[in-house]
């Protein structure tokens, strides 16, 4: 159904990162601006759909995890390393495990 490959780095409580490669996801880049009293600032983000059938058992994605399009073999030691290569921090993740397509819906900036 979906053709994109993404890499997710799950953040643990001790700020270590576990890399998970997922094939068969949907990734959409959102570009926008936010109007402020001081001017305009970028308000870019992502919207990702990850079908449950395409993830390993026990997989979960949470706020403060990171993700990137493609197969990225990085084993980071810090969030700074992830941001340096263009990874996006997850701001919200919803598990929708009902209906005809159980999946995760993820947004990030």
């Amino acid at each position: 159904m979906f053709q994109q490959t993404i890499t997710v780095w799950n953040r643990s409580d001790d700020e270590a990162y576990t890399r998970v490669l997922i094939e068969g996801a949907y990734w959409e880049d959102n570009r926008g601006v936010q109007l402020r009293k001081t001017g305009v600032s970028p308000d870019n983000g992502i919207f990702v759909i990850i079908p449950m059938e395409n993830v390993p058992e026990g997989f979960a994605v949470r706020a403060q995890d990171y993700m990137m399009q493609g197969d990225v073999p990085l084993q980071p030691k810090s969030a700074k390393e992830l941001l340096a290569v263009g990874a996006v921090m997850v701001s919200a993740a919803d598990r929708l495990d009902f209906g005809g397509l159980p999946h995760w819906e993820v947004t990030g900036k």
Side-chain angles (χ1 to χ4, degrees), residues 10 16 21-22 25-26 33 35 38 48 50 56 61 75 91-92 100-101:
N10 293 124
L21 183 67
I22 300 170
Y26 172 79
V33 294
L35 302 176
T38 57
V48 178
I50 306 170
V61 62
Q75 295 292 343
S91 54
L101 179 64

Side-chain angles (χ1 to χ4, degrees), residues 24-94:
Y26 172 79
W27 179 289
E28 178 182 303
D29 287 306
N30 300 313
R31 304 284 180 220
V33 294
Q34 193 170 65
L35 302 176
R36 301 177 188 263
K37 289 181 183 180
T38 57
V40 177
S41 62
D43 189 23
N44 302 329
I46 60 163
F47 174 72
V48 178
I49 297 174
I50 306 170
M52 299 263 183
E53 65 188 31
N54 298 346
V55 298
E57 189 172 327
F59 173 82
V61 62
R62 298 173 297 280
Q64 297 187 342
D65 286 349
Y66 286 84
M67 52 181 29
M68 210 170 163
Q69 266 188 298
D71 181 354
V72 183
L74 180 67
Q75 295 292 343
K77 302 222 182 323
S78 69
K80 194 176 203 178
E81 287 180 58
L82 289 163
L83 293 170
V85 296
V88 178
M89 186 172 74
V90 172
S91 54
D94 297 313

Side-chain angles (χ1 to χ4, degrees), residues 3-25:
Q3 304 298 317
Q4 293 164 304
T5 298
I6 63 171
T7 304
V8 176
W9 291 274
N10 293 124
R11 179 180 179 267
S12 66
D13 292 335
D14 63 355
E15 295 191 33
Y17 293 91
T18 304
R19 180 180 171 271
V20 180
L21 183 67
I22 300 170
E23 295 182 358

